[in-house]
């Protein structure tokens, strides 16, 4: 599953799942463009990729602003000549009761989590169409499959990403471009670890909720991304690969579990 001679652009690649994907791709030989709004974080990952013997640059751009996406893609192509793999990973989670949600917060969440995925795909996709090859991997969420309370913006955006993945796969298969998504469950990133430390998340409860008995790790998602990026998944397109330790397929039995049944 080598990715030698490939160039991958990972949005929001400065930490968490994006960082793990960037490092996993680099271990398979790919050169990496790290997109971020947080450039010190991006530069740390760029150094980690270089330490693995691959080329890497950091590019600042807010994925919710199309002009910035165009600048990012121009910079990446100037540096590496092409983009073989796009990972639409940048995302934020808007939390709060729907009846109180301000217009600006709804627009921000949809702007980054859904519009960002579309416009990054469109701008990079045009380059891929010219080359008649490409691979796009969208990081969705199990929150795009089953609804979670007080997360209407996030769930709607991620549900949209899953449908967008199908739509783009249909549009661009004729150009030899595959588009797939990954829907992670709760993944133990730095951010989630911070929330656990602050007492806002209960790690044991989260681990118990997944029948696998543990939270996911960024590497669990990265391994799935390596598979989707590789030629071994050549006939897989428009698919959403769920990486959640069986959380989402089990969740509607939760009340049954809560009753103490085994
Ligand atoms: P994270 O917050 O740790 O990292 C996201 C990165 O994206 C940050 O470095 C941030 O600076 C960057 N970013 C934010 N807004 C940006 C923008 N407008 N333009 C460019 N970069 C931006 O998040 P994470 O947990 O690693 O999540 C990565 C992706 O995985 C997100 O799409 C998230 O919704 C999804 N996801 C995460 C989990 C989880 O449990 N961590 C579960 C399911 C899905």
């Amino acid at each position: 599953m080598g990715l030698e001679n490939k160039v991958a652009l990972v949005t929001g690649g400065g930490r968490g799942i994006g960082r793990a994907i960037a490092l996993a791709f680099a271990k398979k030989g790919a050169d990496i463009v790290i997109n971020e709004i947080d450039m010190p974080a991006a530069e740390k990952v760029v150094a980690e990729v270089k330490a693995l013997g691959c080329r890497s640059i950091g590019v600042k751009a807010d994925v919710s602003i199309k002009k910035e996406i165009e600048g990012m893609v121009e910079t990446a192509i100037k540096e590496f000549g092409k983009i073989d793999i796009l990972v639409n990973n940048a995302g934020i989670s808007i939390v709060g009761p729907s009846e109180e949600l301000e217009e600006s917060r709804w627009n921000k969440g949809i702007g980054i989590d859904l519009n960002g995925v579309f416009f990054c795909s469109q701008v990079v996709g045009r380059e891929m169409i010219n080359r008649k090859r490409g691979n796009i991997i969208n990081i969705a969420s199990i929150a795009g499959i089953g609804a979670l309370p007080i997360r209407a913006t996030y769930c709607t955006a991620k549900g949209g990403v899953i449908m967008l993945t199908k739509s783009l796969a249909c549009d661009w298969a004729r150009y030899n471009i595959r588009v797939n998504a990954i829907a992670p469950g709760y993944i133990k990133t730095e951010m989630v670890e911070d929330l656990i430390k602050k007492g806002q998340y209960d790690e044991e409860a989260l681990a118990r909720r997944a029948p696998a008995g543990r939270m996911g790790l960024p590497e669990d998602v990265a391994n799935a991304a390596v598979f989707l990026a590789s030629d071994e998944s050549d006939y897989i397109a428009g698919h959403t690969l769920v990486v959640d330790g069986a959380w989402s397929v089990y969740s509607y039995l939760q009340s049954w579990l809560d009753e103490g049944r085994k």
Side-chain angles (χ1 to χ4, degrees), residues 12 15-17 35-36 61-63 89 91 139-140 154 158 184-185 187 189:
R15 66 175 198 180
I17 291 171
N35 154 256
E36 260 299 341
D62 179 334
V63 297
N89 164 78
I139 307 304
Y154 188 70
K158 293 299 187 180
I187 306 298
T189 58

Side-chain angles (χ1 to χ4, degrees), residues 141-143 145-146 182-187 206-217 220-221 224 240-251:
S141 167
I142 55 168
I145 298 170
I182 298 173
Y186 274 83
I187 306 298
L206 288 173
R208 231 186 4 254
R209 189 82 200 271
R214 66 168 176 91
M215 288 186 72
L217 299 173
D220 292 315
V221 182
T240 295
L241 185 49
V242 177
V243 179
D244 72 345
W247 176 308
S248 57
V249 290
Y250 208 41
S251 60

Side-chain angles (χ1 to χ4, degrees), residues 16 39 49 81 89 113 133 139 143 220 247 253:
M39 286 317 282
V49 169
N89 164 78
D113 293 353
R133 66 180 301 124
I139 307 304
D220 292 315
W247 176 308
L253 293 176

Side-chain angles (χ1 to χ4, degrees), residues 47 51 53-54 72 79 89 110 113 131 194 202 206 211 225 239-240:
C54 298
M72 163 180 83
E79 184 73 19
N89 164 78
I110 298 294
D113 293 353
R131 295 180 54 238
D194 276 356
D202 177 347
L206 288 173
H239 181 70
T240 295

Side-chain angles (χ1 to χ4, degrees), residues 27 38 44 74 78 94 104 127 129 149 158 163 181 187 190 218 230 236 249:
K27 281 180 193 154
D38 177 352
K44 273 193 209 158
E74 206 181 304
K78 207 180 275 174
I94 303 284
S104 61
E127 298 290 332
I129 287 169
K158 293 299 187 180
M163 182 46 78
I187 306 298
E190 297 95 311
S230 74
I236 299 176
V249 290

